[in-house]
Amino acid sequence: MFTSALLAFSLLLGQLPPVPGKEPHPLVIGHRGASGQLPEHTLEAYERAIEQGADYIEPDLVVTKDGHLVARHENEIGGTTDVAIRFPKRERTQLIDGQEMKGFFTEDFTLEELRSLRARQRLSFRSQAYNGKYAIPTFEEVLALVERKNRETGRQIGLYIETKHPTHFQKIGLPIEPRLLAALKEHQLDKAGAPVYIQSFEVSNLQWLKRHSELRLIQLIEDVGQPADQIGTKLSYASMITPAGLQQVATYAVGIGPYKRLIVPEHDGRLQAPTHLIENAHAAGLLVHPWTFRTDKEYLAEDYEGNPEEEYLQFFALGVDGVFSDFPEDAFNARERWYRQEIPGR
Ligand code: G3P
Ligand code: CA
């Protein structure tokens, strides 16, 4: 399907591999690790992502009852661990970001308790063969993994860290950000130029981080609604992606992490003409790292005719600066083709 004028023009310009010593472009971000293959947010999934060529791995961070940072997509861990079997009485309902949520929450467990759990695959159409095998990693273990892989491979693997439900954790006296900055400092990853991005769907914690660190910050953007810390204000995700909104984001962030349908919309199962979000964001000086690219047929748009590389190539041609992928091997291979310009139909 990629015979579009945009792709042809982009190819005429030529895509060059990155300069040695600089970050690859566009970045391959191993979303929750190689989470399409192994249970998400496990050391094994992160290591697989690195081996598949991810430039960055993407831990989502939450906090335990005794104040440790651990990697989970949510503080609710019923869907990704065996907690319901191990601690059935700990289920409860609470308000998180203004929404009632029933489940098992990391803030109700000590690190020792969480360490006794085992991860599970959350999606039924992905392999269940690894359920019960892997532990929930601490952020310290993720840092140690990256240091080991750096030594073994001679590469510089980056950390693309998401602060999950920052206002919620702030309210219950377990703020994520100071813990995160302390851990990064301990590993000499707290200075400008460190291979670290910190991302959030909220705004005020990024603005706090802007004041308290030199690290690169990414404003995550949903297709609807507003940041959880902005309820009651006029700031919505829709207003954030206007040219004026993007200028405001650029006062504290170096880039945006938008839902990919804000770049290539979909209607009735068919892809639509791209929006101007990338050029508008670039005009504001912002990087653009959309999420999430997934090879599963349950996720891949029909227009790509079963070939996930087509989707990456489309977004590379549109000018993204990186992609969050559950299948970093596919993202890496597509980028190799992009560098070599081995594009079908060219
Ligand atoms: O971090 C951006 C990307 O991960 C989208 O968010 O919900 O998958 O953590 P989520
Ligand atoms: Ca994330």
Side-chain angles (χ1 to χ4, degrees):
M1 64 173 281
F2 292 110
T3 52
S4 70
L6 172 65
L7 181 56
F9 178 67
S10 195
L11 291 170
L12 278 173
L13 290 177
Q15 303 303 318
L16 298 174
V19 178
K22 297 230 168 156
E23 279 196 339
H25 186 276
L27 285 181
V28 172
I29 304 157
H31 183 246
R32 315 185 195 183
S35 59
Q37 295 183 348
L38 296 176
E40 66 188 39
H41 294 306
T42 57
L43 291 177
E44 290 77 8
Y46 295 138
E47 183 159 13
R48 177 77 61 91
I50 293 166
E51 286 165 358
Q52 291 183 344
D55 308 302
Y56 278 72
I57 56 169
E58 197 248 352
D60 294 330
L61 294 184
V62 292
V63 191
T64 67
K65 184 178 184 177
D66 46 352
H68 296 275
L69 292 174
V70 294
R72 283 291 92 192
H73 181 253
E74 295 289 339
N75 55 335
E76 200 294 303
I77 53 173
T80 61
T81 71
D82 56 1
V83 67
I85 299 164
R86 300 289 320 288
F87 295 93
K89 293 186 179 160
R90 299 280 183 96
E91 189 173 41
R92 70 178 172 107
T93 301
Q94 67 168 327
L95 272 185
I96 298 176
D97 300 341
Q99 306 238 337
E100 203 166 82
M101 172 86 69
K102 185 177 183 187
F104 301 85
F105 302 97
T106 57
E107 62 263 37
D108 295 338
F109 293 84
T110 63
L111 179 59
E112 190 179 351
E113 288 171 333
L114 281 183
R115 298 286 298 161
S116 72
L117 303 180
R118 288 297 173 268
R120 301 175 57 84
Q121 172 54 252
R122 77 190 164 90
L123 295 170
S124 61
F125 51 81
R126 288 182 176 170
S127 174
Q128 305 295 312
Y130 304 93
N131 290 349
K133 292 186 188 299
Y134 305 141
I136 296 177
T138 62
F139 185 48
E140 276 300 322
E141 289 175 313
V142 179
L143 289 162
L145 169 72
V146 168
E147 287 174 350
R148 175 169 67 80
K149 296 307 282 185
N150 284 344
R151 283 194 305 276
E152 287 175 5
T153 64
R155 293 161 54 198
Q156 185 183 66
I157 314 301
L159 285 152
Y160 206 117
I161 302 153
E162 182 176 353
T163 53
K164 281 286 179 182
H165 304 296
T167 294
H168 170 74
F169 279 109
Q170 172 86 29
K171 276 187 191 162
I172 62 173
L174 293 169
I176 297 175
E177 296 78 11
R179 290 174 166 83
L180 172 57
L181 292 186
L184 291 171
K185 185 173 185 184
E186 194 74 17
H187 291 259
Q188 294 81 50
L189 288 170
D190 60 327
K191 296 287 182 249
V196 173
Y197 289 94
I198 303 178
Q199 29 157 355
S200 179
F201 281 107
E202 296 190 17
V203 175
S204 42
N205 74 319
L206 290 178
Q207 292 173 331
W208 186 92
L209 284 163
K210 171 73 175 172
R211 294 192 297 276
H212 291 86
S213 87
E214 301 169 350
L215 295 168
R216 294 170 298 178
L217 308 175
I218 298 287
Q219 177 67 62
L220 297 174
I221 302 180
E222 294 265 19
D223 54 338
V224 292
Q226 65 182 144
D229 62 320
Q230 299 297 319
I231 293 167
T233 78
K234 287 187 177 161
L235 186 65
S236 64
Y237 290 120
S239 67
M240 221 178 242
I241 59 172
T242 63
L246 291 165
Q247 291 284 353
Q248 173 58 24
V249 170
T251 62
Y252 58 88
V254 300
I256 57 170
Y259 177 42
K260 65 185 180 183
R261 294 285 161 252
L262 291 170
I263 295 172
V264 178
E266 193 175 11
H267 183 67
D268 283 344
R270 303 312 300 256
L271 299 178
Q272 307 296 304
T275 67
H276 296 288
L277 179 55
I278 294 176
E279 62 192 84
N280 290 343
H282 285 170
L286 293 165
L287 298 167
V288 182
H289 297 159
W291 44 271
T292 299
F293 291 73
R294 294 175 161 131
T295 297
D296 322 82
K297 67 177 181 346
E298 290 80 1
Y299 282 120
L300 192 66
E302 275 185 28
D303 294 69
Y304 301 117
E305 297 174 349
N307 184 354
E309 286 192 8
E310 296 286 306
E311 183 177 33
Y312 295 107
L313 295 173
Q314 180 187 28
F315 278 77
F316 294 162
L318 288 167
V320 296
D321 302 292
V323 287
F324 287 81
S325 175
D326 284 5
F327 295 83
E329 185 168 37
D330 292 339
F332 179 86
N333 288 337
R335 189 176 67 185
E336 289 295 294
R337 281 179 65 194
W338 179 240
Y339 290 159
R340 295 193 304 263
Q341 299 189 35
E342 292 173 3
I343 314 295
R346 180 156 66 96

